[in-house]
Amino acid sequence: MTDRKKDHIELAFRSQIEKSFVDDRFYYEPFLNAHPQKELKPFTFLGKEIRTPIWVSSMTGGTKLAGKINSNLAKACAEFGMGMGLGSCRLLLEDDKYLADFNVRHIMGPELPLYANLGICQLEELIQNNELSKISNLVAKLQADGIIIHVNPMQEWLQPEGDLILRSPIQTIMDLLKHADYPVIVKEVGQGFGPDSLNQLLQLPLQAIEFGAFGGTNFAKIEMMRNPDNQIQLYDPLAKIGHTADQMVDWTNTIVESNKQIKCNELIISGGIHSFIDGYFLTEKSKLPAIYGQASELLKYAQDSYSNLQNYIQSQVEGLKIANAFLKLK
């Protein structure tokens, strides 16, 4: 008791926070609830029950380190009841050399959502070559629930070894949906979708849309950093183009309110979600059922021992419980 009071006195002046730092997104209501004792309430998302509204956004695969990362992330999904999107599974279309890096269903268990991942360029090629059965085979061998198609025109354009997108991605996705007997999620990779793209995507029978918004990991910027001496640096302004998750939630809400033709009814809000407080704000703000995705924040901890990742996610769960009890959106 004495030491605690002494700490309070010594730290009182150093702990003052300027008014300009206040998080003005919430009403703080300390009078209405006790400290939460129960776990977060489970709910159905992507057709399965999850216990924590955090999505492991697609990251990486095909290297020794990626195998460890994916294994740690899958273990966390099993412990905390989360869903996971794998990194690009392009390497598995032709052979199973790197299958072990992606094969995490036995770690997660069958009850949680797990999605494979391919790029729009690979999908274009598979359609052109009448090889869509390769996606079905990919989903089956990973025991995945479906496929994520990542749409990344800026990244491909800025990547020296990138592929050209030959058709509008919306047409390619529509062609896939005519044949797919598995759920499909569409995502961006760090720059997000504008309102017209969102409007068209929401009218397709997708399982979900993942934002991949501006403000988090930006793969267009990654390509510029990979090639610092290349003429590609002249295109640097393109890496600064995009839309934030906050903007995209607002646009989606407007579309949902005004359009009766919505067929996609779930969102994974990702891109610049730095902690539970951002995730809580955006999922509560969304008029569609939503969870929030993280990539780089989880990657920081997944590269090391599992306990580091475990402690991080546990802190996020506890933060969400406090937010649910005492914070209301303005």
Side-chain angles (χ1 to χ4, degrees):
M1 172 73 78
T2 302
D3 288 343
R4 174 161 56 88
K5 293 300 183 183
K6 181 181 178 183
D7 289 343
H8 287 176
I9 293 169
E10 291 178 350
L11 296 173
F13 296 107
R14 291 164 53 193
S15 65
Q16 294 185 33
I17 301 176
E18 294 293 330
K19 289 185 290 185
S20 59
F21 286 99
V22 69
D23 190 334
D24 201 35
R25 296 175 290 182
F26 306 99
Y27 293 113
Y28 168 53
E29 302 290 357
F31 197 65
L32 306 180
N33 288 300
H35 279 131
Q37 303 296 315
K38 297 180 180 179
E39 296 303 312
L40 295 170
K41 185 178 179 180
F43 62 99
T44 299
F45 195 83
L46 304 180
K48 293 192 170 183
E49 184 177 273
I50 63 174
R51 302 192 310 276
T52 300
I54 300 175
W55 177 256
V56 177
S57 289
S58 303
M59 288 181 236
T60 187
T63 70
K64 185 175 180 180
L65 181 59
K68 177 181 180 181
I69 290 168
N70 286 337
S71 177
N72 279 339
L73 291 168
K75 188 175 179 181
C77 287
E79 179 175 352
F80 294 96
M82 307 186 304
M84 179 174 179
L86 293 166
S88 175
C89 302
R90 180 180 187 175
L91 293 168
L92 301 183
L93 289 176
E94 304 303 329
D95 64 58
D96 292 345
K97 178 179 178 181
Y98 294 102
L99 179 61
D101 288 345
F102 299 87
N103 188 18
V104 297
R105 174 57 87 183
H106 64 288
I107 301 173
M108 288 180 65
E111 302 86 6
L112 297 165
L114 172 68
Y115 277 67
N117 179 356
L118 289 173
I120 192 71
C121 294
Q122 287 77 62
L123 177 57
E124 256 192 14
E125 185 177 348
L126 291 172
I127 291 173
Q128 181 180 356
N129 296 335
N130 196 27
E131 294 180 326
L132 280 177
S133 61
K134 288 187 175 182
I135 299 182
S136 298
N137 294 336
L138 176 67
V139 170
K141 69 179 159 186
L142 290 169
Q143 300 177 67
D145 295 296
I147 190 78
I148 298 169
I149 302 297
H150 62 265
V151 179
N152 57 336
M154 289 296 191
Q155 181 192 10
E156 295 290 358
W157 180 259
L158 293 168
Q159 188 179 90
E161 63 272 43
D163 298 310
L164 285 179
I165 297 174
L166 303 176
R167 306 171 67 209
S168 67
I170 193 76
Q171 188 61 56
T172 301
I173 296 295
M174 289 170 69
D175 287 348
L176 171 64
L177 291 171
K178 292 174 186 175
H179 300 91
D181 57 357
Y182 40 79
V184 177
I185 296 172
V186 173
K187 70 165 291 185
E188 229 279 336
V189 298
Q191 294 177 287
F193 299 102
D196 289 346
S197 294
L198 282 171
N199 187 38
Q200 294 198 47
L201 285 170
L202 286 163
Q203 295 179 60
L204 298 180
L206 299 169
Q207 182 66 48
I209 298 168
E210 181 176 355
F211 285 177
F214 193 93
T217 302
N218 183 315
F219 278 86
K221 186 64 176 178
I222 285 175
E223 297 305 335
M224 312 221 36
M225 294 170 70
R226 283 181 62 228
N227 300 278
D229 300 322
N230 194 291
Q231 192 174 359
I232 209 77
Q233 299 301 314
L234 297 174
Y235 297 113
D236 181 68
L238 293 177
K240 300 180 177 70
I241 298 296
H243 308 291
T244 66
D246 203 352
Q247 287 176 313
M248 292 172 69
V249 170
D250 286 340
W251 291 333
T252 301
N253 286 346
T254 298
I255 293 166
V256 169
E257 288 175 335
S258 61
N259 192 332
K260 306 302 182 185
Q261 306 300 317
I262 298 301
K263 295 180 181 177
C264 175
N265 294 302
E266 294 180 318
L267 300 178
I268 301 171
I269 302 171
S270 61
I273 312 298
H274 298 298
S275 74
F276 66 88
I277 203 72
D278 295 329
Y280 175 75
F281 172 72
L282 291 166
T283 54
E284 287 291 302
K285 186 178 182 180
S286 174
K287 294 186 181 300
L288 288 179
I291 59 176
Y292 68 94
Q294 290 188 303
S296 60
E297 291 296 325
L298 294 173
L299 185 61
K300 290 178 189 176
Y301 302 95
Q303 298 179 77
D304 300 318
S305 68
Y306 176 70
S307 62
N308 289 341
L309 178 63
Q310 182 185 43
N311 290 337
Y312 171 73
I313 296 177
Q314 185 62 52
S315 73
Q316 301 306 293
V317 170
E318 296 302 318
L320 285 168
K321 288 160 64 176
I322 290 293
N324 279 318
F326 300 116
L327 302 184
K328 296 186 183 299
L329 269 63
K330 290 186 175 179

